[in-house]
Amino acid sequence: MKYLHTMVRVTDIEKSLRFYRDALGLVELSRRDYPQGRYTLVFLSAPGDESAQVELTHNWDPEPYGGGRNFGHLAYAVENIYAACERLAKHGVIINHPPRDGRMAFVRSPDGISVELLQHGPSLQPAEPWASMPNTGVW
């Protein structure tokens, strides 16, 4: 058995790509439109790690998606948690749970999917503004 991907339904493909690709830093591997089924699939992965992919599914006909407790979050290891959070914040992403401990942070995609960021290797030393930043919303 081999893990392939996680599928996430998105309401606005371009807004979602600005989050996953531009702000989070994932790489777009492929994109296919299926006019007969009225949907688009976009596959992304962390740079250099195509073995674990996220599939963004955009159904062209508007449809509300509610969050459920059966899906927790996506998680990515990052080289520098502070730099990753700074890049996300510069893209207008709210840091819901800042990396106060130099180890872990949470953000949400435009469709409310929780994304956990974990410092690769040992935790960084606590640093401002993250160390005193409060939580915002839920993660």
Side-chain angles (χ1 to χ4, degrees):
M1 187 180 311
K2 179 184 181 329
Y3 172 81
L4 296 176
H5 64 268
T6 297
M7 185 272 271
V8 176
R9 294 187 198 285
V10 300
T11 55
D12 183 324
I13 193 68
E14 292 309 319
K15 192 175 188 179
S16 293
L17 285 170
R18 284 192 298 275
F19 173 79
Y20 288 100
R21 183 191 58 210
D22 302 342
L24 192 57
L26 299 184
V27 176
E28 185 173 323
L29 302 174
S30 67
R31 180 192 303 222
R32 289 225 24 207
D33 291 326
Y34 294 89
Q36 286 131 334
R38 301 190 45 75
Y39 64 94
T40 299
L41 301 181
V42 178
F43 287 87
L44 305 111
S45 73
D49 186 10
E50 294 182 6
S51 65
Q53 299 178 13
V54 172
E55 171 192 335
L56 303 183
T57 297
H58 176 244
N59 293 312
W60 300 354
D61 300 318
E63 172 181 347
Y65 302 119
R69 296 292 296 161
N70 59 337
F71 181 82
H73 61 265
L74 302 173
Y76 293 96
V78 296
E79 289 299 317
N80 183 307
I81 191 89
Y82 300 138
C85 287
E86 185 176 332
R87 182 181 69 245
L88 285 157
K90 284 182 180 176
H91 280 273
V93 176
I94 295 169
I95 309 300
N96 300 103
H97 178 73
R100 291 186 290 271
D101 59 359
R103 174 91 185 125
M104 177 181 65
F106 280 90
V107 296
R108 285 194 172 268
S109 77
D111 290 289
I113 301 299
S114 185
V115 177
E116 178 182 20
L117 305 173
L118 293 166
Q119 174 63 38
H120 178 75
S123 298
L124 301 181
Q125 289 295 317
E128 294 300 339
W130 314 107
S132 59
M133 187 180 288
N135 292 337
T136 303
V138 295
W139 60 90

